[in-house]
């Protein structure tokens, strides 16, 4: 069974930073592209970023230059560093396996981690 457990969210002021983590189990993490998506209040899922098994990264235009995706294949863990946060970044953040194209993804199986950006 695929398990993905997100953590690291919280309340932060605009301009602040957070580091999200995603612990993976139940599949061979090191062989999969992995993706972060988010869901803002009242909206659908939005693709944020994807990383290949070897570390090639891809970002949505809305987060490019502010967010950094990374992975530790030895620890089966995915990360997302969030810098220069804006109120529009407020959302529930999920990690999931990439499906098909770079911005495609399987439905997130976890509970997500809440990021709230507010002064």
């Amino acid at each position: 069974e695929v398990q993905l457990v997100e953590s690291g969210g919280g309340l932060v002021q605009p301009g602040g930073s957070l580091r999200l983590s995603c612990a993976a189990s139940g599949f061979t993490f090191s062989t999969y592209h992995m993706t972060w998506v988010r869901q803002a209040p009242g909206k659908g899922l939005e693709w944020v970023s994807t990383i290949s098994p070897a570390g090639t990264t891809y970002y949505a235009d809305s987060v490019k230059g502010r967010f950094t995706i990374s992975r530790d294949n030895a620890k089966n863990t995915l990360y997302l560093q969030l810098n220069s946060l804006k109120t529009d970044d407020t959302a529930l953040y999920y990690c999931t396996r990439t499906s098909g194209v770079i911005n495609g993804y399987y439905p997130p199986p976890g509970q997500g981690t809440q990021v709230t950006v507010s002064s």
Side-chain angles (χ1 to χ4, degrees), residues 4-9 21-23 36 93-96 108-113:
L4 295 168
V5 180
E6 302 91 347
S7 62
S21 298
C22 169
W36 285 97
Y93 284 72
Y94 300 92
C95 63
T96 184
Q111 299 299 309
T113 186

Side-chain angles (χ1 to χ4, degrees), residues 17-29:
S17 297
L18 285 172
R19 189 192 196 203
L20 308 184
S21 298
C22 169
S25 61
F27 65 103
T28 308
F29 176 79

Side-chain angles (χ1 to χ4, degrees), residues 52-71:
S52 75
T56 302
T57 58
Y58 308 85
Y59 298 96
D61 288 344
S62 58
V63 307
K64 197 172 296 181
R66 300 188 299 119
F67 291 7
T68 302
I69 191 172
S70 61
R71 65 192 299 161

Side-chain angles (χ1 to χ4, degrees), residues 7 23-24 30 39 42-43 47 53 76-77 79 89 91 99 101 105 117 119:
S7 62
S30 62
Q39 187 167 25
K43 297 187 177 180
W47 173 72
N76 287 350
T77 302
Y79 303 100
D89 296 318
S99 174
V101 297
Y105 48 88
V117 185
S119 55

